Amino acid sequence: MRFKRILGIETSCDETSAAVLKHTDKGIQILSNIVTSSASIQTKYGGIIPEQAAREQIKAIIPVIKESLQQAQCTSEEVDGIAVTQGPGLIGSLLVGVETAKTLSMVWDKPLIPVNHLIGHFYANWIGSWQVRITLPQFPCLGLLVSGGHTDIVLFTNHGQYQYLGGTRDDAAGECFDKCARLLGLPYPGGPQISQLAQLGNPLTFKLPRPMLDSDDLDLSFSGLKTAVSNLIDIVGVTKQDPRLRNLCASIEAAIIDSLVKKVIKAVQIHPVEHLIVAGGVAANPKLAKELRKALPGIKIHIPPPSLCTDNAAMIASAAFFQDKTVSYSKLQADPNLSLAN
Ligand code: KG4
Ligand code: ZN
């Protein structure tokens, strides 16, 4: 491993995050992981306004980087490399992180490591190995990414080597949580809101669709679920004050999780592995963890702690430790369309 200490920068959506991570023979340790978000501003509008998110990130990026170095008690000389999210994400937001990282790379004369945000999410599972977790993920392993913008199933055979197996054909799992929450008048981001209310509800109350459950491939679809919820609200008129809201939240959560778990079971049948790595904001959902563990008792399931499931720079730095590819500051371009499929 080339780098011992990496500064990570992540600005793909509404978060501005910087982290310093150290790699030793015992594992990867977080020295600092600062995450600020404009979510409280975005909440007012029920979703993210890209230009507004980027404007907040321009203000936040330098103080956040300074704080991450300070908290890590690390000077710029002690940083071996700068890892930054290259994409995918909102172009204005990505540019804030990428251009800042390029400038620091030039001024500090440090290598620049571009990281695919989606791969970064998976590498939250390699953090804190010797203190928090007994076993690290082993290859080959299946990966389930469930975030606000992506829902993908991949097969990892080694670091940097993976095969895309399937994913959503329309909305992402997190997006479905967010859109259903919005229909119900709940604030953004909707996943944690629905999840919390669902704990007190009965998931069998409302019958909601699980599209593509029986398809032969590993693809998923969530837009029909959102439409079904919208129709249901029109017919039965569930509102924010309605006591049946909890039951509807529980039914929505169950439908999303059921779809995900069934496709992961299918993936394991096709590609028998001993390890599954789960990543992305929806991985913070406790019911998803519970249902995956129940459905796959013979498989070691790795899920990061909630703070490392949602967007953060520590996961970006973690991925960079396993990636040899560096790029000159004069060549790096933000790429909003990066994916796992190509
Ligand atoms: O990975 P992430 O922070 O950002 C993206 O890269 O998209 O994921 C954010 C998504 C949002 O859709 C949010 O509603 C969802 O993760 N989320 C959850 C939970 N916590 C966050 N969904 C369900 N249950 C949760 N506890
Ligand atoms: Zn993300």
Side-chain angles (χ1 to χ4, degrees):
M1 206 161 290
R2 223 170 118 190
F3 303 108
K4 293 267 173 279
R5 207 176 274 232
I6 291 181
L7 168 69
I9 298 173
E10 153 65 37
T11 61
S12 66
C13 195
D14 61 334
E15 278 88 3
T16 307
S17 180
V20 180
L21 270 69
K22 185 169 108 176
H23 183 262
T24 69
D25 52 0
K26 289 181 184 147
I28 291 172
Q29 188 188 354
I30 295 180
L31 300 182
S32 65
N33 186 23
I34 311 296
V35 185
T36 65
S37 163
S38 57
S40 57
I41 301 173
Q42 317 287 344
T43 293
K44 273 195 243 162
Y45 307 100
I48 295 168
I49 299 175
E51 290 78 7
Q52 191 177 35
R55 266 201 301 276
E56 294 303 315
Q57 285 163 318
I58 290 170
K59 288 189 242 164
I61 188 76
I62 299 297
V64 164
I65 292 173
K66 272 189 177 164
E67 197 181 334
S68 74
L69 289 169
Q70 239 164 38
Q71 205 178 92
Q73 299 186 334
C74 176
T75 62
S76 57
E77 290 88 62
E78 289 168 319
V79 168
D80 300 322
I82 301 165
V84 65
T85 299
Q86 183 183 11
L90 304 170
I91 184 62
S93 296
L94 288 169
L95 280 171
V96 175
V98 167
E99 294 305 314
T100 306
K102 282 161 70 172
T103 309
L104 292 179
S105 164
M106 181 185 73
V107 175
W108 293 348
D109 192 22
K110 301 286 178 186
L112 189 57
I113 312 139
V115 174
N116 179 326
H117 177 83
L118 310 177
I119 293 292
H121 267 300
F122 285 116
Y123 275 87
N125 284 297
W126 269 266
I127 295 173
S129 49
W130 75 104
Q131 280 167 339
V132 186
R133 241 167 260 128
I134 301 144
T135 48
L136 282 178
Q138 302 291 315
F139 298 112
C141 64
L142 278 168
L144 171 68
L145 175 66
V146 274
S147 71
H150 294 83
T151 300
D152 296 311
I153 301 173
V154 288
L155 175 67
F156 285 93
T157 47
N158 209 332
H159 294 295
Q161 289 173 19
Y162 61 88
Q163 184 193 343
Y164 177 82
L165 301 178
T168 183
R169 295 206 181 161
D170 39 60
D171 291 352
E175 190 178 355
C176 187
F177 270 112
D178 294 340
K179 284 180 173 171
C180 289
R182 194 176 172 170
L183 290 169
L184 292 165
L186 299 170
Y188 173 86
Q193 304 279 335
I194 289 188
S195 164
Q196 216 171 5
L197 285 161
Q199 282 172 23
L200 306 164
N202 177 0
L204 302 175
T205 319
F206 296 98
K207 217 170 169 319
L208 293 170
R210 278 105 165 117
M212 299 193 69
L213 212 57
D214 298 318
S215 70
D216 287 335
D217 51 29
L218 295 174
D219 285 347
L220 299 114
S221 164
F222 291 107
S223 67
L225 174 56
K226 170 201 64 194
T227 309
V229 170
S230 174
N231 291 341
L232 194 68
I233 293 170
D234 286 347
I235 296 163
V236 298
V238 183
T239 64
K240 204 172 161 184
Q241 282 75 34
D242 196 320
R244 293 173 302 169
L245 179 66
R246 294 167 184 164
N247 292 336
L248 182 52
C249 286
S251 305
I252 293 167
E253 185 184 59
I256 295 172
I257 289 173
D258 209 18
S259 302
L260 293 169
V261 172
K262 293 274 159 50
K263 285 288 162 157
V264 174
I265 293 173
K266 193 169 268 179
V268 174
Q269 283 163 355
I270 303 169
H271 303 277
V273 291
E274 288 173 12
H275 290 247
L276 168 71
I277 49 178
V278 189
V282 182
N285 183 292
K287 191 174 160 74
L288 175 63
K290 192 173 148 204
E291 295 300 323
L292 281 170
R293 295 207 158 99
K294 203 159 82 185
L296 299 162
I299 293 198
K300 174 80 192 140
I301 299 174
H302 305 264
I303 303 177
S307 63
L308 296 178
C309 287
T310 46
D311 288 349
N312 67 89
M315 68 187 200
I316 301 302
S318 173
F321 282 115
F322 299 94
Q323 192 176 300
D324 277 335
K325 193 179 79 178
T326 59
V327 62
S328 158
Y329 60 82
S330 61
K331 298 260 161 56
L332 183 62
Q333 302 267 351
D335 184 352
N337 299 318
L338 272 185
S339 74
L340 292 174
N342 46 37

